[in-house]
Structures are given as structure tokens and as C-alpha cells.
Amino acid sequence: MAFVHVMFYSGQMDEYEPTLSPNLAVPGRAASSNRAGRFEPYRRVVVDDGWDIQEPTQVVRTEVSEQRVTKILAKNSSPDLSFDRSINPYRGCEHGCIYCFARPTHAYLGLSPGLDFETRLIARPGADIALQKEISRPDYQPKTIAIGTNTDPYQPIEARYQIMRKILCVLRDFGHPVTIVTKGTLIERDVDILGEMGAAGLVNVGISVTSLNAKLSRTMEPRVPAPMRRLKVIENLANAGCPVRVMVAPVVPGLTDHELENILSAAAKAGATSASWIMLRLPLEVSGLFQEWLAKTNPDRAARVMARVREMHGGKDYDAQWGKRMRGEGKYAEMIAQRFKIAAHRAGLERKNPALRTDLFQVPGRAKQLSLF
């Protein structure tokens, strides 16, 4: 059969309207649709054009475009977060985690938070040069920069672009504190820099482990390294002298919540020194994408999972209120919080990593100003 994409005027799209051609192969991808973002005036569906012609199978490949960077530091004022500035070396993420709360940001680019988010990526070469200029300003005040809070800085294309390594070199040379969140094993490439910065109190790393079930992980996080491999990353970073926090993020009710204690125990044995957790978040387009994935991969649990999610958000799929969006509310959320507290204590992960140092910051080649007091 031959198929054609048809553009329609804006309006809510029927959840059953196909957005991907049947002859399109999407191996290793979590999203099963590619609906237009919420700002788009048109939507696209696939229809049979009536011609009885067999079309060849086409495999969706990752496409990378580049963005010219003049400023790289993003400011944050959310009271839910412990940092006020961050860096995103890439937009979109090939890891393709179906639950990723960053998916809706692709809509700002005129792209779909669905398959486009996983396959149409934007790299930001020159980020290190922009960063160097920004933190060299005479009025700049150093505070911890967070990297990986939106999309993963160590996703596969980092091997080609090496943007993250160049950023780390700048931060090391300036004595600037940084926190990193990742699922990628490529971070081991930078263990030389991270070990040095860790010894100086300038870095800590968070490794996300959502599930120890390799089969579940492969469908939910299709291009993320296997869970056991991520535990090995924790071990390698810890052995190099870099403090590591295990992140049980997200906890998926009815699907991964039973693994909470085992994840913390395994991470502690691997060398993690602290831990954190975040409940599943389904903002904007993520909710529909996640429910499509649930119906396809775990149809017997779909109703139970979504019932728990809505229980924590006043009957809604998501509540964006500060203080609630990360953990949810109600008895189930309280139970998870209590289980985490007990399990973290038993594993020796209840302590927080020491605050990172800012007193080592100095612009290379510039004399450090002495205090008058």
C-alpha cells in the first residue's frame, strides 16, 4: 500500500489517527507517534492514497543539526531546584526515555515531542567558548552550574562532538563547581577531569537508575546503557575520586516502585555516597506519549499505573505546582517517601554530599582580588 501525509488545520487530534507511515521502521525508539507540538497551526496524519503499491521499508535515522551559541548559561528561579544556572549542550536526546519531562521543550523548536525528540537533535558546538566568556565577566559570581537537568550531556552524539568534555575543561581551569546528571557511560571518558575536580571539591555526579530489570529498561529507555552497566559507571567514578549520587528517577508507580530498595542497595555497593528520588512526571505531551507506550508494552498494568499517577495529582495526569510536581501528594506518595528514607539509611546513602567549593574560582591569567576584610 502507498501512504501519504496529509496536513489538517489545528484542533485536537484524535488519539487513533496515525502519524507514522506503516512502512516506517523505528527500531530502538520509545515513542510510537510523532504528533505536532502544541504551538503548531497544523497537524499531520497518514492516510492510504488508494494505490496498491508496496513501499520499501524506511528506517528512521538520527539527524543532528548545529546551533550557533552566543550564551550558554540558562537561569533558573524554581524553588524546587537547588541550582540557579544550568547548561544544556544538546537539545533533544537520543536516549529516548519515554517518560522524559524534557520532551515538551522540542515543541518550542517546531518539532514533535514524540519521535522527533529522539531523532532530530541539536548540538551546540562552541558552548565552551561562550561559557568562558560568560564566567570571565568582571561581575560574574560563581555558583554551582548544573548540567544534564534537561537532556543528557553524555548521549551518544557526545562521542562525536565532545562538547561536554570541552565544557569540563573550562570549568576545571576556572576552578568552577559543577553538578552533572547522566545515564550515559560516555562520562567514563572524562574520568581524568572528574577525578581531579572531585578531589578539589568542585564536582559531584548523579547517575540515574530507573530499574534493574534490563528488559523493562530496554523498552522504557531504549538507547540508555543497561542498568548493570550504569552501576559500573558509579563504581568507576567513585574509584577515581568523584562523588556519586544514585538517582532513582523516576519512580514509576505500579511498574518500578517495587525496586526502590534494591536499586539503593546495589548503588551503595557500587560506591555511591548519596541518593535522591523523583516521582514520575507527565507534563503536557509526555502524558499521551507515556500512555501510548504503556498500552503497547504493559497493557495489563496501564490502568493501575495511571490510577496511581492521578491519585497523587488530584485526579489529573500532572500537577505543575511547585512543591508537588517532583513528589506528588497523598498516601501513596508519602509511602514512597518513607520507604526511600528507610532504604537510604540502611544503605548508608542518607547523607548529602558536601557543598561544592566556590572559593577556588579564578579567571585564568587574572589576579585574584583580595578581600578588604
Side-chain angles (χ1 to χ4, degrees), residues 96-115:
C97 303
I98 191 60
Y99 52 73
C100 183
F101 64 85
R103 283 181 176 273
T105 62
H106 239 44
Y108 292 107
L109 306 176
L111 299 173
S112 173
L115 192 61

Side-chain angles (χ1 to χ4, degrees), residues 123-167:
R124 309 176 82 185
D128 57 313
I129 298 172
L131 173 63
Q132 186 169 344
K133 291 179 180 178
E134 288 184 74
I135 64 178
S136 293
R137 291 170 55 94
D139 60 346
Y140 179 77
Q141 296 296 318
K143 288 185 179 180
T144 299
I145 293 174
I147 305 180
T149 56
N150 196 46
T151 57
D152 202 311
Y154 286 106
Q155 57 181 288
I157 58 172
E158 166 64 14
R160 169 186 169 189
Y161 283 93
Q162 299 194 36
I163 299 173
M164 185 61 188
R165 183 169 179 86
K166 293 175 183 177
I167 288 173

Side-chain angles (χ1 to χ4, degrees), residues 5-17:
H5 288 281
V6 180
M7 303 297 291
F8 288 93
Y9 190 67
S10 60
Q12 279 288 32
M13 186 171 186
D14 190 305
E15 63 178 316
Y16 298 109
E17 289 178 334

Side-chain angles (χ1 to χ4, degrees), residues 324-335:
K324 298 179 181 180
R325 57 181 183 157
M326 302 286 196
R327 301 289 173 85
E329 294 183 291
K331 292 183 178 180
Y332 175 78
E334 292 170 1
M335 179 189 69

Side-chain angles (χ1 to χ4, degrees), residues 161-181:
Y161 283 93
Q162 299 194 36
I163 299 173
M164 185 61 188
R165 183 169 179 86
K166 293 175 183 177
I167 288 173
L168 281 180
C169 287
V170 172
L171 296 175
R172 176 197 59 193
D173 294 345
F174 279 67
H176 198 295
V178 61
T179 62
I180 302 168
V181 173

